[in-house]
Amino acid sequence: MIYIGSHISSSKGYRAMGKQAVRLGGDTFAFFTRNPRGGKAKEISEGDVLSYLEIAQEYHFGPIVAHAPYTMNPCAAKEDIRIFAKEMMQDDMKRMEYTPGNYYNFHPGCHVGQGTEKGIELTSRMLNEIIMPEQTTIVLIETMSGKGSEIGRTFEEIRELLDRVTRQDKVGVCLDTCHVWDGGYDIVGDLDGVLQKFDDVIGLARLKAVHLNDSMNERGAHKDRHQKIGQGQIGMEAMKRIVNHPKLQGLPFILETPNDDEGWAKEIAMIREWLS
Ligand code: FE
Ligand code: FE
Ligand code: ZN
């Protein structure tokens, strides 16, 4: 059993997101906590959240996976950019508590020439500054493709980031299939081996969510261009093995494929058919 859903627009609030997820056949979803390019977030209405929670309960939703604005860079060289990222994440941590016990996924950032070590140091420092001891939200570090100066391409880098976080119970990992493939991990030819490696280096208990995307590029391309499920270099058969892998059961799987609503509904239905 897995939970499956797509990215959904947050512009009309929580209830609308819940209804849209159901309409697409999903039992989880992802959304941006604010404009993906960053900036001020909309007020949260408690009534709206309550009617969302009713929908989530009625349709047995799994954990939902919020996404931080992707342009923020927690390990930027310029201090004002890092402060901007920190303030957004701090505000997001408060907002996430309206829907307790869910996931907040973020990109660990680009070291922009400072080196991977420095990047890891800055991003982990920021995590320690934004995580509140009383929060119920788990912050997920997303595995990255290694485009540009991205940190978090290798499982070792993710492990190092995690190790430096004080509140070990508030952090986890989101595995993006397009990113790990573009990062060089052979999830087509050796899925068992890659997951074993993840377990050895990070620990599978840390894995809380999957971004299920095919990739336009060959393995190791470091490009990060998502493709529809089964239509890219990862391909249909590998996707079937991923969603059915025993070590990935129980997790929310989020589609970030280049689709419209109809396309996502079709992908969700197709994946449900694959589940054995
Ligand atoms: Fe992402
Ligand atoms: Fe992703
Ligand atoms: Zn991506």
Side-chain angles (χ1 to χ4, degrees):
M1 182 288 247
I2 61 169
Y3 300 102
I4 177 92
S6 65
H7 198 95
I8 285 178
S9 164
S10 56
S11 63
K12 295 194 179 75
Y14 282 92
R15 178 170 181 270
M17 287 195 283
K19 286 176 72 176
Q20 176 67 353
V22 170
R23 213 175 291 131
L24 298 179
D27 49 12
T28 180
F29 62 93
F31 63 102
F32 285 120
T33 49
R34 60 188 66 227
N35 184 308
R37 285 177 295 282
K40 204 161 160 43
K42 281 196 343 185
E43 283 292 316
I44 293 179
S45 133
E46 283 190 47
D48 180 44
V49 170
L50 280 179
S51 49
Y52 161 71
L53 291 173
E54 276 169 26
I55 295 169
Q57 195 175 23
E58 184 181 346
Y59 289 92
H60 307 286
F61 277 19
I64 53 176
V65 190
H67 201 303
Y70 53 74
T71 50
M72 61 167 221
N73 187 5
C75 60
K78 292 191 178 125
E79 195 187 9
D80 57 324
I81 297 178
R82 292 200 304 271
I83 290 172
F84 183 62
K86 181 177 134 182
E87 286 173 352
M88 274 193 297
M89 282 181 88
Q90 256 166 348
D91 187 41
D92 282 348
M93 287 304 100
K94 291 184 201 133
R95 298 167 63 83
M96 287 298 295
E97 291 303 307
Y98 281 89
T99 51
N102 287 301
Y103 300 141
Y104 178 77
N105 170 83
F106 82 110
H107 295 180
C110 294
H111 67 69
V112 287
Q114 303 172 94
T116 305
E117 260 312 301
K118 184 72 183 174
I120 289 172
E121 183 198 319
L122 289 170
T123 295
S124 56
R125 191 192 299 167
M126 201 201 58
L127 280 172
N128 284 326
E129 287 167 355
I130 62 127
I131 291 173
M132 309 175 290
E134 67 278 14
Q135 76 182 42
T136 62
T137 304
I138 309 282
V139 179
L140 305 184
I141 301 169
E142 182 167 352
T143 62
M144 302 310 291
S145 68
K147 173 167 49 84
S149 65
E150 275 172 355
I151 64 167
R153 180 184 69 79
T154 66
F155 296 163
E156 287 78 5
E157 287 172 28
I158 302 262
R159 170 65 197 258
E160 224 188 304
L161 271 164
L162 288 168
D163 275 351
R164 296 187 191 197
V165 176
T166 312
R167 290 304 305 247
Q168 288 287 308
D169 55 331
K170 311 288 187 201
V171 280
V173 178
C174 173
L175 184 139
D176 187 309
T177 55
C178 169
H179 296 177
V180 292
W181 171 257
D182 281 28
Y185 290 98
D186 189 7
I187 51 173
V188 175
D190 187 20
L191 178 62
D192 285 337
V194 173
L195 291 177
Q196 186 59 53
K197 175 99 183 166
F198 188 103
D199 200 20
D200 293 342
V201 176
I202 300 174
L204 277 168
R206 294 284 199 189
L207 182 59
K208 303 296 184 194
V210 175
H211 283 171
L212 192 70
N213 302 305
D214 212 321
S215 171
M216 287 192 181
N217 293 287
E218 70 275 19
R219 178 162 76 91
H222 308 304
K223 286 269 176 57
D224 189 4
R225 300 277 310 281
H226 300 189
Q227 179 56 291
K228 294 178 183 171
I229 301 300
Q231 296 183 28
Q233 299 293 318
I234 298 176
M236 203 75 93
E237 291 310 311
M239 284 293 168
K240 285 186 191 171
R241 288 194 292 272
I242 291 167
V243 296
N244 280 300
H245 199 284
K247 289 184 171 166
L248 302 178
Q249 297 309 295
L251 300 179
F253 280 61
I254 304 294
L255 299 164
E256 299 174 309
T257 46
N259 269 313
D260 52 15
D261 290 345
E262 197 195 342
W264 277 318
K266 276 189 189 156
E267 281 188 347
I268 291 169
M270 175 174 78
I271 290 160
R272 288 205 188 283
E273 266 182 40
W274 293 347
L275 298 175
S276 41

